[in-house]
């Protein structure tokens, strides 16, 4: 992409060619799908409908933040409230890959229903080329396509439209900035949501716990960034571990859960370094998590692993 304005004009034409009538857009509120949704809105107007799925696996305040922004940007959208069906799909599942498969299938089923309701078979996704640009040169032959909704099975009647498929993350961010999307440099959030950060069984109760812990990590890290104590990390979040551990509250023994904090620096997510954060930041996070989840989470760990050999996410 040389010039965002030219890319927008070309995309609008391409989208109009690929979508003869109507389309729905899978809009997660993230940078990629929001950028795709705004392009489609410009190309198709009322012939497009963005669908924002409340999976029950989103972060604290995310539904409100995303809907507020979509409304302000004039996007035509609907919120599909689907927490019950995602939790039902995940019941009894602990295996990370199985979680992704179940979530992907639940997304596709939902988008098939929404497409039928809207009278189309076109689904727009914010799929981008992976962010693996290495300094010096971009080799395009090992692209790993990233499907936010988990891939569309061959027997699905949905036909994919992917306006950003040739762009890399930095190009999408530039385009997002051009389109006026707020905080285009904000941290990525995985399509399967908090489900891949709740190790082991994914229940509403355990997701609620992680959501509280994650909001604390985000707040404390953002406070430290604003104060100039640390540079802005690539990603910073909490993970609820699949273990029970003993703690003490007042005079009582508590057999609670444990949270791991992940704060990493990265250029393109292909490699990452665990940030050497100041001790007071970790202490503030640990104290708040164990106080605000008193009796539920009794231990907070800091993940010092780089990628490789670890990955950024735990699952
Ligand atoms: P890993 O854990 O593989 O993550 O080091 C690399 C980057 O990708 C994000 N990620 C995902 N994003 N769906 C997504 O949309 C996924 O299933 C998924 N898994 C990992 C992760 O947050 C990091 O930025």
């Amino acid at each position: 992409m040389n010039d965002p304005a030219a890319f927008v004009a070309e995309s609008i034409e391409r989208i109009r060619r690929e979508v003869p009538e109507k389309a729905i857009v899978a809009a997660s509120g993230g940078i990629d799908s929001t950028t795709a949704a705004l392009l489609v809105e410009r190309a198709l107007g009322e012939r497009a409908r963005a669908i924002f799925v409340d999976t029950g696996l989103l972060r604290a305040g995310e539904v409100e933040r995303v809907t507020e922004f979509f409304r302000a940007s004039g996007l035509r959208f609907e919120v599909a409230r689907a927490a019950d069906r995602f939790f039902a799909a995940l019941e009894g599942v602990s295996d990370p890959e199985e979680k992704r498969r179940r979530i992907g299938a639940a997304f596709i089923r939902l988008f098939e229903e929404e497409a039928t309701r809207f009278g189309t078979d076109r689904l727009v996704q914010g799929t981008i080329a992976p962010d693996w640009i290495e300094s010096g040169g971009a080799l395009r032959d090992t692209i790993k396509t990233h499907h936010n909704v988990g891939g569309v099975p061959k027997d699905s009647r949905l036909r994919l439209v992917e306006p950003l498929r040739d762009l890399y993350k930095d190009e999408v961010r530039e385009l997002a900035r051009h389109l006026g999307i707020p905080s285009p440099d904000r941290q990525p959030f995985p399509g399967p949501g908090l489900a891949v950060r709740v190790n082991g069984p994914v229940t509403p109760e355990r997701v609620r716990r992680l959501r509280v812990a994650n909001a604390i990590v985000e707040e404390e890290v953002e406070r430290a960034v604003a104060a100039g104590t640390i540079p802005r990390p690539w990603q910073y979040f909490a993970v609820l571990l699949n273990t029970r551990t003993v703690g003490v509250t007042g005079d009582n023994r508590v057999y609670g859960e444990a949270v791991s904090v992940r704060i990493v620096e990265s250029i393109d997510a292909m490699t990452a370094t665990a940030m050497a954060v100041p001790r007071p930041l970790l202490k503030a996070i640990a104290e708040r998590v164990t106080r605000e989840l008193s009796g539920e989470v009794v231990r907070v760990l800091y993940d010092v692993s780089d990628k490789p050999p670890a990955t950024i996410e735990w699952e």
Side-chain angles (χ1 to χ4, degrees), residues 42-284:
R42 290 196 186 183
L44 304 177
E46 62 180 19
R47 293 193 284 129
R49 182 75 76 256
I51 311 290
F52 172 53
V53 184
D54 177 2
T55 57
L57 303 166
L58 300 174
R59 289 166 292 184
E62 194 151 18
V63 174
E64 295 74 14
R65 260 197 319 277
V66 171
T67 51
E68 205 171 287
F69 168 67
F70 283 178
R71 208 166 286 132
S73 61
L75 198 64
R76 277 162 259 244
F77 73 100
E78 282 175 26
V79 181
R81 302 211 180 263
D84 289 352
R85 72 158 92 182
F86 278 86
F87 280 115
L90 288 167
E91 206 173 323
V93 179
S94 287
D95 179 73
E97 282 308 304
E98 186 61 19
K99 282 181 188 174
R100 279 195 167 73
R101 275 193 290 277
R102 303 268 185 123
I103 291 168
F107 266 121
I108 287 299
R109 222 166 299 126
L110 191 143
F111 285 126
E112 280 175 340
E113 291 167 19
E114 293 293 331
T116 302
R117 228 159 47 84
F118 193 57
T120 182
D121 62 354
R122 303 298 152 114
L123 172 66
V124 181
Q125 280 194 165
T127 312
I128 65 168
D131 344 327
W132 57 271
I133 296 178
E134 307 204 351
S135 52
L139 301 168
R140 288 205 166 212
D141 56 357
T142 48
I143 288 174
K144 170 190 88 181
T145 312
H146 204 119
H147 293 289
N148 283 328
V149 297
V152 174
K154 284 200 177 60
D155 61 356
S156 172
R157 60 179 204 84
L158 289 176
R159 292 178 62 183
L160 282 185
V161 179
E162 297 174 317
L164 309 178
R165 66 192 148 225
D166 293 327
L167 298 190
Y168 293 86
K169 195 77 180 180
D170 56 335
E171 296 174 307
V172 178
R173 284 177 165 160
E174 193 186 339
L175 189 57
R177 208 167 286 119
H178 174 78
L179 292 169
I181 294 171
S183 325
D185 295 324
R186 64 184 185 253
Q187 59 169 335
F189 183 63
L194 298 180
V196 291
R197 294 179 181 171
V198 169
N199 296 166
V202 183
T203 62
E205 184 63 11
R206 300 193 73 223
V207 170
R208 179 191 58 77
R209 257 172 224 151
L210 174 63
R211 192 177 280 127
V212 172
N214 190 68
I216 293 169
V217 172
E218 289 192 356
E219 280 168 29
E220 293 299 329
V221 167
E222 279 155 21
R223 197 197 311 273
V225 170
T229 316
I230 57 169
R232 175 167 291 283
W234 169 268
Q235 273 177 288
Y236 43 104
F237 55 87
V239 177
L240 191 66
L241 303 187
N242 190 20
T243 189
R244 303 281 300 280
T245 171
V246 175
V248 58
T249 316
D251 292 334
N252 299 319
R253 174 189 187 274
V254 182
Y255 195 39
E257 298 213 71
V259 158
S260 180
V261 176
R262 189 93 170 114
I263 305 175
V264 297
E265 298 176 282
S266 179
I267 304 287
D268 54 13
M270 292 304 285
T271 61
T273 310
M275 193 184 265
V277 293
R279 191 57 203 272
L281 171 59
L282 294 176
K283 195 167 161 62

